[in-house]
């Protein structure tokens, strides 16, 4: 059974940093894309970053480029979202998600899509609040 468990959310001031973690279980020895998404009340869930182990496969939303970094540590079965220079508009519930994909040693751009409907497994969410 696949399980994703997030941690690391909290309340910070604008300009500060947070690191979210997502521990993945059940995908052992499988190949998968990881994604981080966020949602605010009354709005659709939006993709923040996706990756298949880094490199060309990594994608960021324009709103977080240069400030957020997604890392997938396969050895630890954990994905991270390092969030720097946080802004009040980053306030949201953050979710990690995973979907199995065919194994590749050369993940191309676009391998890990940004559409939330493509992801099968989701964490419970962790709240991030940024005050000005």
């Amino acid at each position: 059974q696949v399980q994703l468990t997030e941690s690391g959310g909290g309340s910070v001031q604008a300009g500060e940093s947070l690191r979210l973690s997502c521990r993945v279980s059940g995908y052992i020895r499988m190949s998968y894309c990881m994604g981080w998404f966020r949602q605010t009340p009354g709005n659709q869930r939006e993709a923040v970053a996706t990756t298949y182990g880094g490199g060309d496969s990594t994608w960021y939303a324009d709103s977080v480029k240069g400030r957020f970094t997604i890392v997938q540590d396969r050895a630890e079965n954990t994905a991270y979202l390092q969030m720097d220079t946080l802004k009040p508009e980053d306030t949201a519930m953050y979710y990690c998600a995973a979907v199995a994909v065919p194994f590749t040693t050369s993940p191309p751009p676009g391998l890990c899509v940004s559409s939330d409907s493509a992801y099968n497994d989701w964490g419970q969410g962790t709240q991030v609040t940024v005050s000005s």
Side-chain angles (χ1 to χ4, degrees), residues 1-23:
Q1 181 180 355
V2 175
Q3 188 170 3
L4 281 65
T5 305
E6 298 119 336
S7 60
S11 297
V12 296
Q13 297 287 318
E16 294 183 341
S17 299
L18 279 174
R19 188 178 78 159
L20 306 183
S21 300
C22 176
R23 177 78 176 176

Side-chain angles (χ1 to χ4, degrees), residues 11-121:
S11 297
V12 296
Q13 297 287 318
E16 294 183 341
S17 299
L18 279 174
R19 188 178 78 159
L20 306 183
S21 300
C22 176
R23 177 78 176 176
V24 181
S25 60
Y27 268 105
I28 304 300
R29 294 185 294 277
M30 289 181 66
S31 169
Y32 57 93
C33 283
M34 289 297 304
W36 284 97
F37 296 77
R38 64 187 181 187
Q39 188 172 27
T40 54
N43 293 306
Q44 288 189 330
R45 190 161 48 193
E46 64 171 354
V48 174
T50 65
T51 193
Y52 180 91
D56 291 341
S57 72
T58 301
W59 172 89
Y60 294 99
D62 287 343
S63 59
V64 306
K65 277 181 183 176
R67 300 188 299 120
F68 289 14
T69 304
I70 184 172
V71 175
Q72 186 179 10
D73 186 335
R74 293 185 181 280
E76 296 295 326
N77 290 309
T78 301
Y80 302 95
L81 185 68
Q82 177 66 40
M83 305 185 294
D84 297 320
T85 319
L86 282 161
K87 303 177 180 179
E89 51 263 44
D90 295 319
T91 295
M93 184 71 78
Y94 283 72
Y95 300 88
C96 65
V99 60
V101 296
F103 176 79
T104 174
T105 58
S106 301
L111 173 65
C112 301
V113 299
S114 59
S115 172
D116 61 352
S117 62
Y119 291 78
N120 305 118
D121 299 292

